[in-house]
Amino acid sequence: MPGPADIDVARDHAIEVLKRSASATGFVASSADAHYTSLWARDSAYSIMGAVVSGDAALAAASRASLLTLAKIQADNGQIPDAYWPARDYWDWGEAGSTDASALFVVAAGEYLRNYPDAGLRAQLWPHLVKAVQWLETQDANQFGLLDSPEGGDWMDSSLCRSGKVLYVNVLYQRAVAILGRLAHEQAESIAYGEQAARIKERINFLFWPERGPAYSGVLRHHRGRMTVEGFPHPASPAAWENAALDDRKHYISHVQWGRFVDECDTLGNILAVLFDIAGGARAERMMRHLLEDGAAAPYPVRTYTRSFRADDRWGMYKEVADQFQGERWRNPPGSYHNGAVWPFIGGLYVDALRRVGMEQEAASELQRLAEANRLAADGGEWGFHEWIHAETGEPGGAKDQTWSAATFVLAHRGLSGG
């Protein structure tokens, strides 16, 4: 059994993974796997978040190239594609679309421009960023002011699915609109994106954190109509919201479908809510302590959900019928892939969120464990930076040299090093 990993050595290996993934068109998802030698919009966006704090000029250049490539292949209606294969000059939108890709495009652009101010690039990207947010705005099916997403329409695009108002997607939407507000000011644009971002934040905190006391009709208090609980066409949603309301809530719920408030802890959605200041103060610290104490980081940081789901689970998220048509590597039995497995790219964000709420000692300990996770390699070597790790066996799975696994380790390491 090897000794503890050196986190500085882990950071150096992470930089090398990023450099191998850098190309003239931007970051590929993995340089070690044919399927992932492509520019996946969401992978590239998370990769940019780590690359821009690395201090490496080549990685900054790859970040810039990623943004320009995504802008070039943006749809006329503003949607950002799911993935692009430069060698074939081919891109697609995924089987169910890719709602998070459009939001992440804006978020990544904001992070790049914050670290590398460039008025020319900002002006070049500006119309593309506006179109991306305008497309996102059209994804609100019921005028709640929050986005709807289909099954398989975000990064969980296999057979462990959520749909409706998804916390993760709406947290990214709020961040994208907030970034557009900052960039609008720099562009001397008069559009009040900052006010819009504040409204989205308020609605996220209302809908995804059900509490006793407020009436569910408050979710539509901005609406032109005069809505009461009795005014809803069906009582299922208000009743479900009241059923989910807790006095001692510790995390945001995962997603809202008609008549179903899925009260499960989506770790990535909750972590991003902390990092993007949607959850603040005591609530943010409470959430992070819950993740730390509720097994989210076992066996390594951090699992997609704090538990796995079976096909007969009451929420119906695991689509066992669909699983038979997935390739073996993308199947979702409990503890595997999206179904409660460990994803090191989320682990890096988790460590940074612990630091953000003042839990620096815990963050340092979890960074050490994340280094151990990234050192695992299915081929018997070291420093695999794998896609995911089985929650029960601790064995690495999926492709190695995953760019976003490396990038968020760099981000977490930089934060704890005083960056």
Side-chain angles (χ1 to χ4, degrees):
M1 184 77 176
D6 185 303
I7 60 170
D8 293 329
V9 171
R11 189 263 184 191
D12 291 343
H13 281 284
I15 293 293
E16 291 305 312
V17 170
L18 286 169
K19 288 183 174 180
R20 288 195 293 272
S21 300
S23 72
T25 51
F27 285 115
V28 299
S30 168
S31 62
D33 184 278
H35 181 69
Y36 289 133
T37 53
S38 50
L39 188 79
W40 291 77
R42 58 178 68 96
D43 296 57
S44 185
Y46 284 111
S47 299
I48 287 170
M49 294 178 198
V52 296
V53 300
S54 69
D56 189 284
L59 299 184
S63 300
R64 189 178 192 275
S66 294
L67 294 169
L68 290 172
T69 297
L70 293 173
K72 179 182 177 182
I73 59 177
Q74 183 179 33
D76 291 342
N77 67 1
Q79 187 180 11
I80 295 297
D82 189 32
Y84 171 57
W85 283 262
R88 292 186 284 149
D89 194 29
Y90 165 82
W91 61 92
D92 65 42
W93 315 93
E95 291 184 56
S98 184
T99 314
D100 59 341
S102 296
L104 280 164
F105 169 62
V106 181
V107 173
E111 290 303 301
Y112 178 88
L113 291 167
R114 184 165 64 87
N115 285 274
Y116 292 92
D118 184 334
L121 179 64
R122 186 185 68 229
Q124 185 177 355
L125 290 175
W126 175 253
H128 297 280
L129 302 177
V130 170
K131 284 175 63 178
V133 167
Q134 288 174 340
W135 179 81
L136 288 167
E137 291 170 341
T138 67
Q139 306 308 300
D140 177 10
N142 51 15
Q143 299 302 303
F144 276 31
L146 297 172
L147 306 188
D148 289 273
S149 188
E151 288 190 345
D154 63 64
W155 82 279
M156 288 191 172
D157 55 0
S158 182
S159 50
L160 193 286
C161 300
R162 60 272 182 99
S163 63
K165 306 291 187 191
V166 178
L167 171 69
Y168 163 72
V169 171
N170 279 286
V171 166
L172 289 174
Y173 173 48
Q174 195 277 342
R175 183 65 165 183
V177 174
I179 283 174
L180 211 58
R182 188 190 82 212
L183 297 179
H185 177 74
E186 296 173 5
Q187 282 285 113
E189 297 281 350
S190 59
I191 307 173
Y193 287 112
E195 295 176 11
Q196 181 182 354
R199 292 193 298 270
I200 298 168
K201 176 179 177 178
E202 179 186 17
R203 290 165 193 167
I204 289 173
N205 280 304
F206 188 94
L207 185 66
F208 295 100
W209 194 278
E211 293 182 298
R212 300 188 191 280
Y216 179 73
S217 56
V219 77
L220 279 175
R221 58 179 172 263
H222 63 283
H223 195 274
R224 289 184 303 176
R226 297 177 63 187
M227 302 299 294
T228 64
V229 172
E230 293 76 15
F232 280 81
H234 301 285
S237 292
W241 187 79
E242 291 172 5
N243 185 66
L246 300 174
D247 292 326
D248 61 344
R249 177 161 294 284
K250 297 179 177 65
H251 60 82
Y252 290 102
I253 65 173
S254 170
H255 54 288
V256 179
Q257 298 169 317
W258 180 81
R260 282 158 40 97
F261 280 68
V262 179
D263 196 0
E264 298 288 344
C265 185
D266 166 20
T267 58
L268 180 54
N270 278 267
I271 288 165
L272 291 177
V274 171
L275 291 175
F276 296 162
D277 296 322
I278 292 170
R283 175 178 289 187
E285 183 177 349
R286 185 179 191 179
M287 290 163 58
M288 295 312 300
R289 289 200 179 278
H290 171 71
L291 291 178
L292 185 68
E293 296 167 3
D294 199 44
Y300 298 103
V302 67
R303 299 179 63 178
T304 58
Y305 279 85
T306 51
R307 72 180 185 96
S308 301
F309 303 93
R310 302 186 312 272
D312 60 354
D313 188 276
R314 66 185 178 127
W315 301 122
M317 292 168 63
Y318 174 36
K319 313 295 183 183
E320 192 174 35
V321 173
D323 225 15
Q324 64 183 304
F325 302 109
Q326 292 288 348
E328 182 68 30
R329 62 193 290 193
W330 296 300
R331 291 181 183 171
N332 280 284
S336 300
Y337 203 50
H338 294 146
N339 195 357
V342 169
W343 284 67
F345 98 86
I346 310 177
L349 299 170
Y350 163 74
V351 170
D352 203 39
L354 287 170
R355 178 188 65 82
R356 295 284 188 94
V357 301
M359 298 170 64
E360 293 203 6
Q361 184 174 349
E362 293 88 344
S365 176
E366 294 298 273
L367 182 65
Q368 175 70 49
R369 297 180 63 240
L370 182 60
E372 303 290 349
N374 282 320
R375 186 165 65 170
L376 297 173
D379 60 8
E382 286 192 312
W383 303 111
F385 286 90
H386 273 271
E387 187 175 15
W388 58 275
I389 299 166
H390 198 284
E392 297 172 6
T393 68
E395 293 297 317
K400 64 179 293 187
D401 281 1
Q402 283 282 310
T403 311
W404 59 2
S405 297
T408 63
F409 186 89
V410 172
L411 178 69
H413 183 279
R414 175 65 172 165
L416 284 171
S417 300

